[in-house]
Amino acid sequence: MPPPAVPADNPMSAAKVELGRHLFHDVRLSANGAMSCATCHDQARAFTDGQAVSRGVAGEAGTRSAMSLANVAYLPVLTWQNPQLTSLEVQALIPLFGEHPVEMGLAGREQQLFAMFKADPTYRRLFAQAFPAEAGQGEGGPYALSTLTKALASFQRSLMSFDSPYDRYRYGGQKDAISAAAKRGEELFFGEKLECYHCHGGFNFTDNLKHARTPFPEIGFHNTGLYNEDGRGAYPKASPGIVEFTGEPRDAGRFRTPSLRNVAVTAPYMHDGSIATLHEVLRTHYARAGRAVHAGLAANPLRSEFIAGFEISEAEIADVVAFLESLTDERFLRDPAHQNPWRNDARPTASTHPASIRPVP
């Protein structure tokens, strides 16, 4: 695969990735010590959480489903509906310090967080190894928002998933790596009948792509006709699509195309987790030219031209699902390099969370 694009001011290093791994799995990076980044991005679920929408430390529900972090280094846009979030370093600030909704709840607690890093011998070592120049600038040098987010971004860029059965079949020449059903499903997926490949093409199965060899990023946001609340294409107000940022009426209901790698373990589906299974995605949504039609409403007039509906049998659906299941990279889901490094008696827990960061009950 081509090398991903990496910011000039944050080159990759093993030390940054290791620091980022510790930060990613540390519950002390939340206001009450109850959650970490990994709470909403679980490795066994391809770094999603199995929930329709995630909840923050105060129990407040978000409005969109947690997206997979597999191969996130190749994505030019990082969230479902914000076309302006293009940097992992910037995006990391939102779950940590955002207030609408509150996720990890650290807004206003930056100095307490840095004090925790400074007091922890593991973090003192890891920050010094990852950022030696900053560590030489004084006592508090390596502990800052910039180093925190650069380390988290580096860890996320290390989350590469290219060892699924389909990869071994298509790129590795192992003809028996996938089943006959999956091979039939591949033909349907890339055929004109279903036209899935228009939005879910390329090595990452999405039309969003950026890497070191691309002169400019490819970006795809689409309205799939999931809703049509007013007959004119409206989606629920809590999550209306990129129209919230562009102000263009034609952008209502348009969301970023997710990658389908490891999709079999990332249920529930769609931006709001409103479809439970891959079978339902095909039968009640795409086959009907959008779920709005299946729900008895008119087809969304703003839906993508590729969402035209199709006739499909139950056997064909089973074949497509078999193909999608062949995109599951089991080694990636269990890779020790991505696992929680705090899994021992010294692992941070809510009981060891600094009182200065815990909120008053």
Side-chain angles (χ1 to χ4, degrees):
M1 298 302 171
V6 177
D9 65 347
N10 190 23
M12 293 289 286
S13 73
K16 285 183 193 173
V17 171
E18 186 62 9
L19 171 58
R21 182 167 73 111
H22 281 74
L23 293 166
F24 189 87
H25 288 282
D26 195 339
V27 296
R28 291 175 293 178
L29 268 69
S30 64
N32 61 1
M35 64 184 295
S36 67
C37 302
T39 302
C40 298
H41 296 286
D42 176 16
Q43 181 179 359
R45 294 184 173 94
F47 293 92
T48 63
D49 64 1
Q51 305 298 314
V53 296
S54 302
R55 292 184 178 274
V57 292
E60 182 180 2
T63 56
R64 286 172 292 281
S65 179
M67 300 192 87
S68 172
L69 297 181
N71 300 336
V72 69
Y74 290 102
L75 295 174
V77 178
L78 301 172
T79 67
W80 283 106
Q81 74 167 37
N82 187 344
Q84 300 167 4
L85 273 178
T86 61
S87 163
L88 285 169
E89 287 80 0
V90 173
Q91 193 278 331
L93 296 169
I94 294 175
L96 289 171
F97 303 104
E99 298 181 81
H100 304 288
V102 172
E103 295 182 58
M104 300 178 77
L106 291 180
R109 304 169 188 267
E110 293 84 354
Q111 294 309 312
Q112 295 99 314
L113 184 63
F114 300 152
M116 184 272 285
F117 294 150
K118 182 179 176 181
D120 187 306
T122 297
Y123 275 131
R124 288 201 302 270
R125 173 177 56 83
L126 292 174
F127 270 95
Q129 291 173 344
F131 299 100
E134 290 84 347
Q137 293 176 0
E139 189 175 2
Y143 313 114
L145 291 181
S146 62
T147 53
L148 168 64
T149 59
K150 285 178 178 179
L152 283 169
S154 295
F155 173 67
Q156 291 177 80
R157 291 191 180 101
S158 75
L159 302 178
M160 296 293 179
S161 177
F162 293 113
D163 191 30
S164 68
Y166 183 74
D167 290 310
R168 295 193 291 274
Y169 166 72
R170 177 54 57 197
Y171 303 117
Q174 298 181 26
K175 299 305 181 183
D176 296 328
I178 65 174
S179 67
K183 292 174 184 177
R184 294 193 300 268
E186 178 193 24
E187 291 186 13
L188 287 164
F189 185 91
F190 288 105
E192 293 300 324
K193 178 178 178 177
L194 305 190
E195 298 194 296
C196 307
Y197 68 93
H198 285 298
C199 299
H200 293 287
F203 66 78
N204 212 22
F205 294 90
T206 174
D207 57 359
N208 289 262
L209 180 65
K210 177 183 70 173
H211 57 72
R213 299 172 188 163
T214 51
F216 50 83
E218 300 173 22
I219 297 175
F221 287 86
H222 305 283
N223 181 332
T224 67
L226 191 66
Y227 295 98
N228 184 19
E229 296 211 326
D230 61 356
R232 299 190 300 274
Y235 271 50
K237 292 181 179 179
S239 197
I242 63 171
V243 63
E244 184 173 349
F245 296 90
T246 68
E248 295 289 342
R250 66 176 180 273
D251 287 337
R254 293 180 63 200
F255 293 87
R256 198 205 81 196
T257 311
S259 168
L260 296 185
R261 284 190 172 273
N262 302 292
V263 69
V265 301
T266 64
Y269 303 104
M270 317 313 289
H271 71 277
D272 57 355
S274 59
I275 302 184
T277 68
L278 290 171
H279 180 279
E280 290 179 64
V281 170
L282 290 165
R283 171 61 70 202
T284 68
H285 181 46
Y286 287 115
R288 301 295 183 89
R291 191 182 59 185
V293 176
H294 178 74
L297 303 174
N300 189 306
L302 301 177
R303 74 189 189 281
S304 166
E305 62 183 350
F306 298 121
I307 310 300
F310 45 77
E311 294 293 328
I312 190 169
S313 68
E314 286 298 304
E316 288 174 322
I317 289 178
D319 287 344
V320 175
V321 170
F323 165 68
L324 295 174
E325 290 173 342
S326 78
L327 303 181
T328 302
D329 182 347
E330 294 290 347
R331 186 172 71 170
F332 173 72
L333 304 183
R334 300 191 303 268
D335 191 340
H338 308 322
Q339 290 175 1
N340 189 346
W342 302 104
R343 284 179 176 166
N344 52 49
D345 293 339
R347 178 185 176 185
T349 65
S351 63
T352 63
H353 196 268
S356 60
I357 299 182
R358 283 204 308 271
V360 177

